[in-house]
Amino acid sequence: MTYEVVVEPTGAVVTVEEGQTLLAAALRQGVWLPFACGHGTCGTCKVQVLEGDCDTGDASPFALLDMEREEGRVLACCALPQSDLVIEADIDVDPDFAGHTVEDYRATVVAIEALSPTIKGITMALDRDMAFQAGQYVNLEIPGLGATRAFSIANPPSRPDTVELHVRRVEGGAGTGWVHDQLQVGDSVALSGPYGQFFVRRSDVKDVIFIAGGSGLSSPESMIADLLERGDERQIHLFQGARCLDELYHRERFEQWAAQHANFHYHPALNEAPSCGSWSGYVGFVHEAAKTHFNGSFAGHKAYLCGPPPMIDAAITALMQGRVFEADIHMEKFLTAADAAEGNTRSALFKRI
């Protein structure tokens, strides 16, 4: 059985298969709806059902409140139509968004590398090219789990036949546990993409600050590589945070980029000073390293943040105190199922982000 969904105010019509979410159907048919996490935790894809019946699915109670459910609001990434629908969406497409159609792919694992004690780099060859914007992510199917997990793409779009992922082991996490303990070179996996609204706004000529923590480095690495490959002349600053030296992965790569490109600047920061005393870089949290470098003033910059929720929230506060405002801050929070259960899904400082 299929259902027809009319999307107001554009009037676009989406055909939704039984058991398919509104968002999945729309993205596969080239109809853009606002979204971010794609897993019912952030609330970005919230739409109003004007006519028809719809199951809210697995939407987080923190992202979709009981009052909103009673008013007929649903999250498009979780909503399952039960009849033909008319919905209203807050459609405000960013002019820099390419809007590549989401498709399903098969991929073969060609390399697995230990990037840090808790993070593995997974390189996969796709069965055909995927067009994507640097900063977007894919949904990887986890065998036996009956679900997917979202991982950001670490390679630049100039390599459309490849997907590189940085996967941090989450304690007790079924998806990341499978990647770390069972996935092998030569395995065939299913994934879909590209997803997400985290990408460089190339039409804005402001200098760029990237702040990344842990495996949140994946998106900025793709975005920076893309900018440098394109010969972008803006000043680009990467602040990479890690707890200890063993977790500060790809350091040599970024140092090499900084030596090759006069407009790229690399600023690593460690939460803990190495006991061996061999570290001469910044010791402290990554947002503090950014504040120190810029003397607390970030005016005239565009900022991209990627990492765990506490890092994101601390960085947002530092940037806003330093005269960077909402329109110039873009972020990708790395959320686990535990984060969603605890309601740690979005910053209270923002309505749009």
Side-chain angles (χ1 to χ4, degrees), residues 124-137:
M124 298 179 287
L126 297 171
D127 59 355
R128 65 189 187 283
D129 287 357
M130 176 194 293
F132 65 93
Q133 286 183 268
Q136 291 190 297
Y137 67 89

Side-chain angles (χ1 to χ4, degrees), residues 60-265:
S60 163
F62 300 98
L64 187 67
L65 303 177
D66 289 342
M67 178 181 67
E68 294 175 313
R69 296 168 192 253
E70 293 171 1
E71 293 173 348
R73 294 185 180 273
V74 298
L75 301 186
C77 68
C78 298
L80 301 169
Q82 297 177 316
S83 71
D84 292 344
L85 300 176
V86 177
I87 65 171
E88 184 176 40
D90 184 13
I91 298 176
D92 182 18
V93 181
D94 191 298
D96 288 307
F97 179 54
H100 296 299
T101 302
V102 170
E103 298 182 20
D104 298 314
Y105 297 85
R106 296 296 305 184
T108 301
V109 179
V110 296
I112 298 177
E113 176 187 7
L115 300 177
S116 81
T118 59
I119 300 172
K120 283 192 174 182
I122 312 296
T123 302
M124 298 179 287
L126 297 171
D127 59 355
R128 65 189 187 283
D129 287 357
M130 176 194 293
F132 65 93
Q133 286 183 268
Q136 291 190 297
Y137 67 89
V138 296
N139 280 339
L140 181 67
E141 289 190 15
I142 309 299
L145 191 61
T148 63
R149 291 293 183 267
F151 299 106
S152 294
I153 304 171
N155 56 288
S158 59
R159 296 165 56 199
D161 60 342
T162 301
V163 167
E164 292 181 9
L165 309 176
H166 300 169
V167 181
R168 178 180 68 87
R169 181 191 290 275
V170 176
E171 189 66 31
T176 62
W178 173 78
V179 171
H180 276 254
D181 299 331
Q182 299 182 48
L183 190 65
Q184 301 288 328
V185 171
D187 285 353
S188 177
V189 296
L191 59 86
S192 63
Y195 297 95
Q197 298 292 293
F198 191 56
F199 53 86
V200 173
R201 273 61 179 178
R202 294 208 304 267
S203 64
D204 193 318
V205 298
K206 294 185 184 73
D207 291 338
V208 184
I209 297 171
F210 292 94
I211 301 178
S215 59
L217 180 66
S218 51
S219 291
E221 183 168 325
S222 173
M223 297 158 91
I224 293 168
D226 186 45
L227 287 170
L228 296 178
E229 287 177 0
R230 292 173 180 272
D232 196 289
E233 297 182 352
R234 282 172 288 186
Q235 296 299 306
I236 303 167
H237 294 264
L238 169 62
F239 293 87
Q240 180 190 7
R243 184 178 59 86
C244 59
L245 198 57
D246 285 346
E247 296 178 354
L248 194 69
Y249 69 94
H250 284 180
R251 174 186 172 192
E252 294 80 6
R253 175 177 298 179
F254 299 126
E255 289 175 341
Q256 184 178 38
W257 287 1
Q260 294 172 340
H261 302 275
N263 63 324
F264 175 64
H265 313 278

Side-chain angles (χ1 to χ4, degrees), residues 259-284:
Q260 294 172 340
H261 302 275
N263 63 324
F264 175 64
H265 313 278
Y266 177 51
H267 314 276
L270 300 181
N271 295 354
E272 302 174 3
S275 57
C276 61
S278 62
W279 177 249
S280 60
Y282 189 88
V283 177

Side-chain angles (χ1 to χ4, degrees), residues 26-41:
L27 295 179
R28 282 167 170 76
Q29 293 170 52
V31 176
W32 187 86
L33 293 175
F35 73 100
C37 76
H39 292 83
T41 60

